[in-house]
Amino acid sequence: MTEFDSLAARWRWSTAANTIERLRCLADDLEAVAEGRVPDRPDTLMTTWAFATRQAPCIIGNSFGHPKIDEGRRAFISEVYYVDPDRRLARTLSRWYRLGSHNPLEAIPGISSIRDH
């Protein structure tokens, strides 16, 4: 198995219909933000978060209330499409996040090993 085969297996869940549905939901949420409507309190909380990059902007932090990430686990979340630090909200492709305390990348133990590679 090549490295590409491994990556392809990870993304096998993604279908055109699934992607369209997720992007449409994202577009609806961003339109609501433009009209002044934002969620009061999203279910998913990201604490000690910082901006990071994958191939696109994302957030790394400790996740709580996420349907697929263990409670309190440090995680990179999907691409960020909207951030409002004043309201402590972020919208990724898949969901809204409440933002807890902000931590710059330099303050996160072990992050230099990720950034250096």
Side-chain angles (χ1 to χ4, degrees):
M1 176 184 273
T2 69
E3 183 176 346
F4 178 76
D5 292 334
S6 174
L7 289 173
R10 288 176 56 196
W11 296 105
R12 209 167 272 141
W13 61 267
S14 184
T15 64
N18 184 344
T19 301
I20 290 166
E21 181 180 335
R22 292 174 75 185
L23 289 171
R24 186 167 285 128
C25 183
L26 171 62
D28 290 347
D29 283 348
L30 293 177
E31 187 174 74
V33 167
E35 294 170 357
R37 296 178 285 127
V38 296
D40 291 329
R41 188 168 167 85
D43 293 333
T44 305
L45 169 67
M46 182 67 76
T47 65
T48 58
W49 65 275
F51 285 107
T53 57
R54 293 159 39 144
Q55 289 295 325
C58 68
I59 292 176
I60 182 175
N62 298 333
S63 181
F64 296 88
H66 193 285
K68 297 179 180 176
I69 301 173
D70 292 338
E71 290 294 292
R73 182 173 175 266
R74 176 152 311 274
F76 283 93
I77 59 176
S78 60
E79 182 174 355
V80 175
Y81 285 86
Y82 173 82
V83 175
D84 186 334
D86 294 332
R87 289 189 175 121
R88 296 181 169 255
L89 293 171
R91 181 59 164 90
T92 66
L93 178 60
S94 39
R95 67 185 37 82
W96 284 100
Y97 286 86
R98 288 180 290 134
L99 299 175
S101 58
H102 177 259
N103 248 7
L105 279 177
E106 295 76 27
I108 300 173
I111 198 69
S112 62
S113 63
I114 294 171
R115 187 184 303 166
D116 294 341
H117 290 91

